[in-house]
């Protein structure tokens, strides 16, 4: 439940009160880019922080490549990295410099996943007459 939302001059949420485990917390967003109303600015979040009683309980920093998250660092210093191909499809997911999953695609766009605990392999979903068909 959001009790309070504050937006900046660009209409971006900068601060909001959220309820986490029945405790009121403050969620703060810092954005990348120019902070002037005379210049176009970015919608990309550089850092998000959740505070409970003025103590940071969660903090993530983000870096982007071609508009996609390429690096996320949390409050503990854990780093997640993402790489993409020329069609902006994810190709690798790394955590703390270890490849967790690699993704490849065939000419039809089917995805192939390899790595630690892949959750799916080459699945194509199609909706036909309101029913989802899965091909594997």
């Amino acid at each position: 439940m959001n009790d309070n939302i504050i937006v900046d001059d660009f209409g971006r949420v900068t601060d909001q009160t959220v309820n986490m485990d029945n405790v009121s917390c403050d969620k703060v967003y810092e954005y990348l880019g120019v902070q002037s109303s005379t210049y176009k600015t970015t919608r990309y979040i550089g850092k998000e922080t959740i505070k409970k009683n003025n103590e940071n309980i969660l903090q993530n920093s983000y870096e982007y490549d071609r508009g996609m998250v390429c690096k996320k660092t949390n409050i503990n210093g854990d780093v997640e990295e993402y790489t993409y191909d020329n069609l902006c499809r994810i190709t690798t997911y790394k955590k703390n410099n270890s490849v967790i999953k690699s993704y490849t695609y065939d000419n039809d766009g089917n995805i192939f996943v390899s790595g630690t605990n892949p959750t799916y392999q080459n699945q194509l979903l199609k909706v036909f007459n309101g029913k989802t068909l899965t091909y594997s």
Side-chain angles (χ1 to χ4, degrees), residues 2-19:
N2 294 335
D3 301 323
N4 188 27
I5 296 176
I6 298 171
V7 297
D8 64 11
D9 293 340
F10 303 103
R12 304 173 303 187
V13 174
T14 58
D15 196 312
Q16 71 184 91
T17 304
V18 295
N19 188 339

Side-chain angles (χ1 to χ4, degrees), residues 90-93 99-104 112-115:
I90 190 166
T91 56
T92 58
Y93 164 63
V99 174
I100 304 299
K101 292 185 182 179
S102 295
Y103 304 83
T104 56
F112 298 86
V113 182
S114 63

Side-chain angles (χ1 to χ4, degrees), residues 71-83:
K71 188 174 185 180
K72 174 182 161 186
T73 307
N74 71 20
I75 197 168
N76 299 319
D78 294 323
V79 177
E80 296 180 23
E81 295 176 274
Y82 309 87
T83 57

Side-chain angles (χ1 to χ4, degrees), residues 41-102:
T41 189
T42 180
R43 68 180 191 277
Y44 301 121
I45 296 171
K47 186 187 295 182
E48 71 176 330
T49 306
I50 296 180
K51 298 179 180 187
K52 181 169 72 173
N53 299 325
N54 285 329
E55 181 181 335
N56 291 354
I57 60 171
L58 179 137
Q59 188 172 63
N60 293 314
S61 298
Y62 300 93
E63 295 177 26
Y64 299 85
D65 176 34
R66 297 178 291 158
M68 298 168 290
V69 173
C70 65
K71 188 174 185 180
K72 174 182 161 186
T73 307
N74 71 20
I75 197 168
N76 299 319
D78 294 323
V79 177
E80 296 180 23
E81 295 176 274
Y82 309 87
T83 57
Y84 304 89
D85 65 13
N86 290 334
L87 297 176
C88 300
R89 301 175 299 190
I90 190 166
T91 56
T92 58
Y93 164 63
K94 296 191 318 187
K95 187 166 185 178
N96 297 324
N97 289 320
S98 295
V99 174
I100 304 299
K101 292 185 182 179
S102 295

